[in-house]
């Protein structure tokens, strides 16, 4: 049986966190979206257990953060075991004043997928499970994908295909994009288990021992505890990358815990698996109308909890760009700056995350002599100083800021424009901090004011409003008290600053919108007369007409 699908802007291949977030982002900005997933059921078990602050920020406009936080532990207690020393800390309310999420957030990948999937269902987008991509080609006026679904074979024409289908990506295979990197000699052992004593405290335990790393999280899906341990991969055939391998013998799980210093025998093993690890990066994230995101574009070790978070932030960067490109009706050649900016912005970030996780994994889990000696001998000797360091909240916050991806910027992007006169303070390409601002005299968080689709233009209230072009329905103008500096700040849909200029320069504004937002008709629209701020909505923000 063969049938041809109707009009479609974005075909998302893969229904993990990256694919679901990408579908939400593209739909949020007006695209017609379809999500297909080869597996008949959601992937289990969860491999990611941490959602970082920047990830929660980019998800906030989709109205899902409250549901995520309701399923999360935002004040996790952690016990770090270093030899005979145990350092206990509660990772909540960190010194991060410029975000609404100044804490470590423990939440299962399964819960993230459930929340994002429910949000898509509420928007009328069904996740089509059991639909396998058989081929994808890039044409002059559209991409064509061939699917095998429970109803038979289907050819799908669409403006763009987004490959969010993991390390063994079929979309990447069809593009011919390479896959640079290699495997680690270590692997991860995962297990959901119960202990015989049954009265172990409910905090997270971390052991950095001579033979590797052991985590115990109270976040198991089929038992109370999720165990994550690293070890040298045994000889013989390795499991397929991106897939859980065969179960691990109970005696081996006991040995890993015993070597880590955990007392008390295991009472029940509900599930276990070997997981091979690799470090790889695609040389580009785009081939014509076909794009890669998440683990299809880059895959890391689990160190520092970067993988799922990086994929969701890929999605936030790409979703609005595909939606605006589809709405413009312009061929991809005419949208070069907009579409190329995705790979140009996200690949350097992926490389920096790969280097970070590679270094962290070497220190945490490598079985080579030097890191084993550092963990087994040096770390216990330094353990008495750990509480002093952890109590320096600003120092801890700086480390968390890096891990939470709050420092990421796109200053070198073609979409990051500094127009003269150059203003002080924020720079184009920076993440917009979540500051406190005033709206009609009432204090609010800046990101709350920007949690609607489109591009946002930030101005300070002035007696004589600057002249602006008519901006169309995709742009919202905000006149807010409490913004630092002077001039104009244009904020992209993903929360990064696209344009900064010391004066409200209509020409620079028009040029950026044509370049980055692919908004038609700007040349034909008259400017707003001097002193007319435009219509004002109930939030106190003036909106483009």
């Amino acid at each position: 049986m063969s049938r041809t699908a109707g009009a479609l802007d974005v075909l998302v291949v893969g229904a993990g966190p990256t694919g679901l977030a990408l579908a939400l982002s593209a739909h949020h900005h007006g695209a017609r979206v379809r999500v297909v997933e080869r597996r008949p059921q959601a992937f289990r078990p969860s491999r990611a257990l941490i959602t970082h602050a920047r990830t929660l920020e980019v998800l906030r406009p989709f109205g899902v953060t409250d549901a995520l936080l309701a399923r999360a532990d935002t004040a996790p207690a952690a016990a770090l075991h270093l030899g005979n020393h145990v350092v206990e800390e509660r990772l909540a309310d960190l010194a991060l004043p410029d975000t609404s999420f100044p804490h470590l957030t423990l939440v299962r990948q399964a819960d993230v997928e459930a929340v994002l999937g429910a949000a898509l269902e509420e928007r009328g987008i069904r996740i089509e499970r059991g639909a396998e991509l058989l081929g994808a080609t890039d044409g002059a006026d559209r991409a064509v994908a061939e699917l095998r679904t429970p109803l038979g074979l289907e050819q799908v024409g669409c403006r763009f295909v987004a490959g969010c289908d993991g390390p063994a990506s079929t979309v990447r295979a069809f593009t011919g994009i390479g896959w640079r990197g290699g495997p680690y000699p270590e692997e991860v052992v995962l297990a959901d288990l119960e202990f015989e004593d049954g009265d172990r405290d409910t905090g997270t335990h971390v052991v950095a021992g001579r033979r590797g790393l052991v985590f115990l999280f109270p976040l198991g899906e089929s038992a109370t505890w999720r165990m994550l341990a690293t070890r040298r991969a045994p000889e013989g055939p390795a499991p397929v990358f991106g897939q859980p391998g065969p179960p691990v013998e109970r005696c081996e799980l006991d040995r890993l815990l015993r070597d880590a210093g955990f007392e008390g025998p295991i009472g029940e093993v509900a599930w276990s698996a070997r997981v091979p690890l690799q470090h790889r990066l695609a040389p580009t994230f785009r081939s014509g109308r076909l794009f890669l995101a998440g683990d299809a574009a880059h895959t890391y070790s689990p160190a520092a909890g970067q993988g799922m978070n990086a994929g969701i932030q890929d999605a936030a960067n790409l979703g609005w760009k595909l939606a605006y490109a589809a709405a413009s009706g312009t061929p991809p050649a005419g949208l070069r700056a907009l579409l190329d900016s995705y790979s140009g912005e996200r690949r350097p970030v992926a490389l920096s995350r790969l280097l970070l996780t590679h270094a962290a994994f070497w220190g945490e889990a490598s079985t080579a002599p030097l890191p084993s000696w550092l963990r087994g001998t040096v770390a216990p000797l330094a353990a008495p100083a750990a509480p002093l360091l952890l109590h320096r909240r600003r120092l801890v916050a700086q480390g968390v800021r890096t891990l939470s991806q709050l420092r990421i910027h796109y200053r070198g992007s073609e979409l990051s424009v500094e127009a003269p006169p150059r203003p002080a303070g924020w720079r184009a390409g920076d993440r917009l901090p979540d500051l406190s601002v005033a709206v009609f005299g009432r204090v609010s968080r800046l990101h709350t004011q920007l949690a609607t689709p489109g591009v946002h233009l930030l101005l300070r209230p002035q007696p004589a409003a600057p002249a602006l072009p008519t901006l169309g329905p995709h742009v919202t103008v905000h006149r807010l008290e409490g913004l630092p500096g002077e001039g104009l700040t244009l904020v992209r849909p993903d929360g990064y600053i696209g344009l900064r200029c010391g004066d409200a320069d209509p020409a620079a504004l028009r040029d950026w919108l044509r370049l980055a937002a692919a908004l038609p008709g700007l040349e034909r629209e008259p400017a707003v007369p001097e002193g007319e701020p435009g219509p004002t909505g109930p939030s106190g923000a003036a909106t483009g007409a």
Side-chain angles (χ1 to χ4, degrees):
M1 176 181 177
S2 179
R3 63 189 178 94
T4 301
L8 183 67
D9 292 325
V10 183
L11 175 67
V12 178
V13 182
T18 301
L20 299 175
L22 178 55
L24 275 172
S25 177
H27 177 270
H28 190 65
H29 293 95
R32 296 162 295 182
V33 177
R34 184 175 176 185
V35 183
V36 296
E37 166 59 56
R38 175 179 56 84
R39 297 184 181 93
Q41 287 88 32
F43 181 82
R44 294 292 181 270
S46 298
R47 288 171 293 178
L49 298 172
I50 297 175
T51 301
H52 289 309
R54 182 60 187 150
T55 303
L56 291 168
E57 287 184 349
V58 300
L59 291 174
R60 188 176 191 170
F62 312 144
V64 297
T65 50
D66 286 347
L68 285 172
L69 294 176
R71 295 170 177 241
D73 182 358
T74 58
L80 175 62
H81 300 252
L82 298 170
N84 294 324
H85 298 273
V86 179
V87 180
E88 297 183 350
E89 187 65 28
R90 186 167 291 277
L91 302 172
D93 194 21
L94 302 171
L96 298 169
D98 64 340
T99 179
S100 294
F101 311 106
H103 45 72
L104 186 66
T105 303
L106 295 185
V107 59
R108 303 177 189 91
Q109 177 181 332
D111 291 318
V112 174
E113 292 179 7
V115 169
L116 300 185
L120 285 173
E121 293 279 353
E122 291 170 1
R123 291 156 172 79
I125 300 173
R126 180 175 60 89
I127 301 170
E128 301 177 42
R129 301 194 182 276
E132 182 178 3
L133 181 72
L134 301 179
T137 57
D138 177 27
D141 60 345
R142 65 174 183 167
V144 177
E146 184 178 0
L147 301 176
R148 180 167 54 216
T149 76
L151 298 178
L153 296 179
E154 178 182 357
Q155 279 200 334
V156 180
C158 55
R159 294 294 304 275
F160 304 106
V161 175
C164 308
D165 48 346
S169 169
T170 53
V171 175
R172 190 183 63 246
F174 295 136
T175 65
I177 294 174
W179 195 222
R180 299 171 181 170
Y184 282 104
E186 294 81 22
E187 67 177 8
V188 158
V189 170
L190 294 178
D192 281 356
L193 49 85
E194 303 285 358
F195 289 97
E196 277 190 1
D197 54 29
D199 59 357
R200 186 179 295 271
D201 67 83
T202 57
T204 295
H205 294 265
V206 185
V207 179
R210 187 176 297 275
R211 297 189 181 182
L213 190 71
V214 176
F215 279 96
L216 282 177
F217 294 98
L219 292 171
E221 291 168 83
S222 50
T224 302
W225 293 96
R226 165 63 54 83
M227 172 184 171
L228 183 155
T230 61
R231 67 175 186 179
R232 185 82 179 184
E235 298 292 333
V240 177
F241 288 110
Q243 304 291 334
V248 180
E249 293 183 1
R250 178 171 176 153
C251 62
E252 174 64 5
L253 299 177
D254 271 322
R255 184 193 68 78
L256 289 167
L257 288 171
R258 187 171 56 253
D259 288 349
F262 287 113
E263 300 296 333
I266 296 173
E268 176 189 357
V269 178
W271 165 89
S272 67
R274 297 172 53 194
V275 180
L277 301 175
Q278 58 181 333
H279 50 92
R280 294 190 184 272
L281 179 64
T284 181
F285 295 176
R286 178 195 176 198
S287 177
R289 296 177 181 270
L290 278 57
F291 294 79
L292 305 176
D295 286 350
H298 45 75
T299 186
Y300 316 132
S301 82
Q306 300 296 296
M308 178 180 72
N309 292 274
I312 291 174
Q313 291 179 48
D314 286 348
N317 184 292
L318 180 59
W320 68 272
K321 295 175 181 178
L322 295 185
Y324 283 3
S328 75
T330 305
L335 299 166
R336 182 197 60 79
L338 178 63
L339 296 178
D340 281 354
S341 70
Y342 167 63
S343 185
E345 292 174 353
R346 291 303 298 170
R347 191 180 183 279
V349 170
L351 177 59
S352 71
R353 297 294 100 180
L354 190 150
L355 295 175
L356 170 67
T357 58
H358 195 61
F361 191 69
W362 179 86
E364 292 174 353
S366 174
T367 52
L370 177 57
S372 296
W373 175 76
L374 290 173
R375 291 193 305 269
T377 302
V378 176
L381 293 175
L388 299 176
L389 294 175
L390 290 173
H391 290 157
R392 299 187 65 178
R393 307 303 287 178
R394 290 188 178 181
L395 179 63
V396 173
Q398 295 309 308
V400 172
R401 185 177 293 277
T402 297
L403 295 180
S404 296
Q405 307 187 23
L406 293 170
R407 294 188 186 278
I408 287 171
H409 64 80
Y410 307 133
R411 290 178 182 173
S413 171
E414 197 170 349
L415 303 191
S416 300
V417 178
E418 297 273 351
R422 182 173 176 175
W426 298 330
R427 291 179 59 184
D430 288 352
R431 158 191 168 265
L432 181 75
D434 190 12
L435 306 177
S436 293
V437 294
V439 181
F440 291 140
R442 299 178 61 181
V443 176
S444 174
R445 299 292 293 208
L446 182 53
H447 286 194
T448 301
Q449 298 301 311
L450 275 57
T452 54
V455 175
H456 297 267
L457 196 59
L458 306 185
L459 300 170
R460 297 178 67 183
Q462 300 178 38
L468 297 174
T470 301
L471 301 174
H474 296 278
V475 184
T476 304
V477 181
H478 303 263
R479 305 184 191 278
L480 303 170
E481 299 175 10
L483 294 176
E486 300 290 340
L488 174 152
T489 300
L490 185 145
V491 184
R492 304 171 3 167
D494 56 358
Y496 289 87
I497 297 170
L499 171 67
R500 282 282 284 145
C501 53
D503 296 329
D505 185 340
L509 179 58
R510 259 195 310 268
D511 288 344
W512 191 94
L513 292 171
R514 291 193 201 108
L515 174 75
L519 302 180
L522 290 170
E523 298 88 347
R524 300 189 301 271
E525 294 177 349
V528 175
E530 180 75 30
E532 293 187 14
T536 302
S539 68
T543 58

